[in-house]
Amino acid sequence: MTASLRSAVLEAGEILRLADVSDAKRDAALLLATVLGEEVTYLYREPDRILTDEERKRFKGLVVRRAAREPLSHLTGHREFWSLDFLVSEDVLDPRPDSETLIEAVLSSRKRGFNPQRVLDLGTGSGCLLLTILSEIPSATGVGIDFSAAALDVARKNMRRLGMEARTEFHRGNWDLDLGEKFDLVISNPPYISTGDIEELQPEVRDFEPHLALDGGTDGLDCYRAILSNIRNILRPGGQLVFEVGMDQAQEVGQIMENVGFSSPEFHKDIAAIERCVSAFLRD
Ligand SMILES: C[S@@+](CC[C@H](N)C(=O)[O-])C[C@H]1O[C@@H](n2cnc3c(N)ncnc32)[C@H](O)[C@@H]1O
């Protein structure tokens, strides 16, 4: 690889483009900025700055990994979600922009008068959903649950970085947990990919994200059914449940929610106009 910042980005962008990485030049720039410990804007301010041998070597290593379709966030170690900075690793699902729909759904109910103070997040992963909601509702406290101890380590790091220790707990647990408490709000983005569809996912997801975070069983809905079969142990009557769902799952999940005693569900679309979240209140 050649030596100026400009030529390094151009050359790496071409390598990533040939590896079918979408947004190849942007990824090249972000990887170089990571190596330099700078913002991307630095690359455009100092295009003629020459890379040291050490920087060049580290950059090349990251470009090779990205060309093998390792997710960008695993290489930079970070991902922005709802304008907050989250640490990520191979142990957690990379927070997705689509999941901001769940945050919007919670905040839209709050605007209409439902102000939850105790929040439970099932399958918390990096903790992005719970910690974002607590950042938006400063009087609330919450608990995040995950079956993966490694994911919980990442979530706890994010909790400390965002200064949320006093308001957040993370515990290892399964969908059938009983914490001896009924929460005002339960949120969950459970694994929802049908087992048979996992092979079809893009390599970044299929080969590098934890399958425990993806696999929703034969029809993708196993985790919704498991959570709903336990819902009266964890959500108070009158409390709200907000699920993220996969493409074309919203109506069926909404129907199962109604069957177990929820009011008429609301459906929330993401920026691609896909029904991405289902929310409803539990009847007495
Ligand atoms: C789709 S990821 C969501 C992560 C995070 N909430 C987000 O939205 O980015 C689902 C999470 O559920 C966890 N999980 C899978 N099966 C579980 C189970 N039986 N009990 C508890 N957590 C589980 C996975 O480890 C993973 O972190």
Side-chain angles (χ1 to χ4, degrees):
M1 266 180 223
T2 44
S4 76
L5 302 192
R6 182 197 291 113
S7 57
V9 169
L10 286 175
E11 196 173 331
E14 186 56 15
I15 292 169
L16 297 183
R17 193 183 64 76
L18 292 172
D20 270 345
V21 171
S22 56
D23 247 341
K25 195 170 166 208
R26 181 207 62 156
D27 283 16
L30 281 165
L31 290 176
L32 185 53
T34 300
V35 166
L36 301 176
E38 298 280 356
E39 298 290 324
V40 171
T41 49
Y42 174 80
L43 309 181
Y44 301 103
R45 284 202 311 277
E46 301 282 344
D48 298 322
R49 133 98 140 91
I50 301 299
L51 287 168
T52 66
D53 286 348
E54 174 58 24
E55 288 165 347
R56 215 164 45 186
K57 206 167 123 202
R58 285 177 46 220
F59 182 47
K60 188 175 173 190
L62 292 182
V63 171
V64 168
R65 288 170 65 187
R66 185 69 188 104
R69 307 293 295 273
E70 198 166 335
L72 183 72
S73 60
H74 291 187
L75 305 177
T76 63
H78 294 259
R79 176 73 167 209
E80 187 181 296
F81 181 80
W82 199 262
S83 299
L84 297 172
D85 180 46
F86 285 90
L87 295 180
V88 291
S89 75
E90 67 277 8
D91 295 316
V92 297
L93 189 89
D94 197 356
R96 310 284 206 267
D98 295 343
S99 300
E100 295 186 345
T101 312
L102 186 149
I103 309 294
E104 284 162 4
V106 170
L107 297 182
S108 125
S109 293
R110 188 161 178 253
K111 268 198 201 128
R112 287 175 279 151
F114 180 70
N115 191 17
Q117 295 302 297
R118 286 289 287 160
V119 184
L120 176 64
D121 178 15
L122 295 175
T124 198
S126 64
C128 62
L129 299 178
L130 177 65
L131 294 168
T132 301
I133 285 174
L134 296 185
S135 79
E136 290 288 332
I137 311 179
S139 54
T141 57
V143 179
I145 298 292
D146 208 288
F147 194 67
S148 159
L152 290 169
D153 285 344
V154 176
R156 289 194 185 99
K157 281 188 192 141
N158 282 320
M159 168 185 78
R160 287 191 282 273
R161 291 178 85 236
L162 293 168
M164 299 272 190
E165 298 95 315
R167 297 199 283 135
T168 320
E169 288 165 49
F170 289 106
H171 299 296
R172 184 152 187 257
N174 212 324
W175 305 137
D176 61 0
L177 83 166
D178 186 349
L179 295 168
E181 176 183 355
K182 293 183 180 173
F183 290 78
D184 300 320
L185 171 66
V186 173
I187 56 173
S188 186
N189 172 18
Y192 55 63
I193 312 287
S194 310
T195 309
D197 289 344
I198 289 186
E199 270 308 301
E200 311 299 320
L201 297 172
Q202 53 182 1
E204 280 87 344
V205 183
R206 184 192 61 216
D207 300 338
F208 293 99
E209 298 215 76
H211 280 210
L212 183 65
L214 302 175
D215 193 342
T218 310
D219 66 354
L221 302 180
D222 280 3
C223 302
Y224 299 101
R225 285 187 283 263
I227 291 169
L228 285 167
S229 70
N230 185 44
I231 198 71
R232 286 193 183 270
N233 287 326
I234 55 175
L235 182 66
R236 69 163 170 82
Q240 187 182 34
L241 171 64
V242 187
F243 272 138
E244 176 170 326
V245 292
M247 184 127 79
D248 296 332
Q249 293 176 337
Q251 298 297 327
E252 200 167 343
V253 170
Q255 186 59 59
I256 312 174
M257 287 167 76
E258 281 194 86
N259 293 349
V260 301
F262 281 87
S263 59
S264 305
E266 275 186 56
F267 301 96
H268 309 263
K269 292 187 175 160
D270 64 18
I271 39 171
I274 293 165
E275 286 182 334
R276 183 58 64 193
C277 275
V278 187
S279 66
F281 290 90
L282 187 60
R283 289 209 186 90
D284 290 348

